[in-house]
Amino acid sequence: MTERRKGFGPGFCLLVALAALLVPAVAAAAPQPVATIEIEGVINPVTLRLVGIAIDRAQAERAQALIIQLDTPGGLERSMRAIVQRMMNAEVPVIVYVAPTGARAASAGVFITMAAHVAAMAPATNIGAASPVALGGGTADKTMMKKVENDAAAFIRTVALKRGRNADWAEKAVREAVAITERDALKLKVIDLIASSVPDLLEIGFRDRFLNVITDPNIAYVLMMLGMLGLFFELSNPGVTLPGVIGGICLILAFFAFQSLPINYAGLLLILFGIVLLIAEIKIVSHGVLAIGGMISMALGSLMLYDAPEVGFRVSWWIIGSMVLGTAGLFLFAVTAGVRALGRPALTGAEGLVGRTATVRERLGPEGQVFVSGEIWRAIAEGEAFEPGAQVRIVAVDGLTLKVAKAEAKGGVA
């Protein structure tokens, strides 16, 4: 195991931006090289000592990050826990890089990788099989081994959740001894990126971080829902433009993300069918039946959207509830507003004039002219004649002729 230092690439600040948010701020200083330590072989007390020295030195010299290049078959549980504890409390971002090609992060190495602020792997590497085993390869009491397994599963799960990684897979690595390649690890959000070398690792930029964010199952789902809502509002109100533009961008990003995710097309069709039912509720009077059916279809589709929920590909219950209820609420609001609009008296055209007050412009005896809403109309008075300036009420419209009566007549002034 050796320790060395390397220069950093111009895009490195973007790589560790997330990590920097997770550790206390360090006093401003001129940029320093990135510290690197190579860990190869069994995890033991010597490994713990070397990692501790590397972290202390990186913090003292205000290095931008510490890279731990890891290749291990596992090791002692006590040493592993102490290393994880040092990493979780480090004041400098710690990047674990499983390398070189052909390397592995097995057993204790899985815990160390999951504890990193940024986790990366080289091509043709693997991670997994973190089940605890008895020392010396002997057998142990089943109850004791179960206790050790439960303890290890709980520990790796809390570490994964702390770092925002796939806690379900991490627990399976302990309980079922599963192992995966670097490509599967990236898809399952076990690691953050794949890099062929340390310089390549330090050059990873915004594009990769952005693509990694939108391929999150929850983000992809929200993008799809927002995209469909944006296009719906654009089609409902042609010329608004902004909802259509935002909706189109969201849908394109969602479909890009779906290429990297195990999509269940039955779930996707259920969501689309739910949107169709909500739109139909606006056009057809179903007394809420279509709206309820649309909500149920969207909820079921959201639950079925991904094909591999057992390894972490699922949409959060909170996000499903928020999006389904929010979408249904918007459509129901539109329906309610439409019903209220139909119930209001007409404000334009001939129907909009009935009940309004007009001013006599030319004597009505019984025919003459009145002034209403900035326009001059031909009018016929019912009953008595009216002199110029008198106020009359419009009681009917016959083509281009208004029928008027005294403003104080039965029904009052409109």
Side-chain angles (χ1 to χ4, degrees), residues 95-99 113 116 118-122 165 191-195 201:
I95 302 172
V96 171
Y97 178 41
V98 182
T113 304
V118 176
M121 296 177 69
R165 300 201 168 90
I191 63 172
D192 300 301
L193 52 97
I194 298 173
L201 170 66

Side-chain angles (χ1 to χ4, degrees), residues 26-27 97 133-134 141 174 185 250 253 291 318 328 341 354 369 379 383:
V26 181
Y97 178 41
V133 295
D141 180 77
V174 172
C250 288
L253 291 176
W318 289 103
V354 176
Q369 294 179 338

Side-chain angles (χ1 to χ4, degrees), residues 156-174:
I156 199 169
R157 186 173 188 88
T158 190
V159 170
L161 291 173
K162 176 67 175 180
R163 294 303 191 214
R165 300 201 168 90
N166 191 332
D168 291 338
W169 181 89
E171 185 172 347
K172 287 180 66 177
V174 172

